[in-house]
Amino acid sequence: CKTFNIDIVAIQEHRWQTNEETTTLSSNGYQFIYSIATERFGILISNKIAKNILQVKSISNRILVVTINCNPKITIVCTYAPTEEASTANKDTFYNNLNDCIREVPLHNFVVLIDLNARIGPSNAHVKTIGRHPYHKETNDNGSRLIELCEANNMCIATTRKPHPDRRKWS
């Protein structure tokens, strides 16, 4: 992250455990924030951003929310979304929790969703939400759920809105 000047990164499947609702580790100019969640994910934030953190909240074992004080405030929703192979019930629970989480964020906050295991393909029916420059050829079930979530909450998928080389379209 230091080499490429990256301030915020979602980290999946780490090995640290905690008994606290949320825990912060500090090292080398960054803070790693993670929760008691069994899925073991978290968010790595540079100290220059971390000094403005207002709130860290564990929503579920798959959703962690960090609110940063700036103008406007930024709410980062770090997720460990179910994979495409997960059961419909698990996906429904996750997306219902995520939708509830987003609806609790004040309307003036800038919301960033990180890591949703979704593949978004082109769609003339959803151009306002996904733009015209997706990386994938087809939308998978998680992608459809993400599009539905974004449309219900008046959000857009930023990575597919502008043309970029394919090597910069995926994350």
Side-chain angles (χ1 to χ4, degrees), residues 25-88:
L25 297 175
S26 297
S27 178
N28 211 12
Y30 285 85
Q31 292 186 21
F32 181 56
I33 302 167
Y34 61 103
S35 72
I36 197 167
T38 56
E39 302 304 332
R40 297 197 183 162
F41 69 102
I43 186 165
L44 185 70
I45 301 179
S46 70
N47 285 342
K48 70 181 179 183
I49 303 292
K51 67 183 178 186
N52 295 311
I53 290 176
L54 290 174
Q55 180 183 36
V56 176
K57 186 175 181 185
S58 180
I59 303 298
S60 72
N61 68 334
R62 291 186 172 270
I63 302 171
L64 181 68
V65 178
V66 177
T67 303
I68 299 171
N69 188 26
C70 49
N71 189 15
K73 290 178 184 165
I74 298 174
T75 300
I76 300 169
V77 183
C78 181
T79 68
Y80 188 73
T83 62
E84 190 66 15
E85 293 77 28
S87 70
T88 300

Side-chain angles (χ1 to χ4, degrees), residues 79 81-84 94-95 114-121 135-136 138-147 157 159-160 169-171:
T79 68
T83 62
E84 190 66 15
F94 171 77
Y95 278 95
I114 300 176
D115 195 30
L116 289 153
N117 283 327
R119 291 184 177 200
I120 306 295
Y135 175 74
H136 300 284
E138 294 181 8
T139 300
N140 65 9
D141 181 53
N142 284 338
S144 296
R145 290 169 182 268
L146 176 58
I147 291 168
I157 300 170
T159 57
T160 59
K169 288 183 182 179
W170 63 276
S171 62

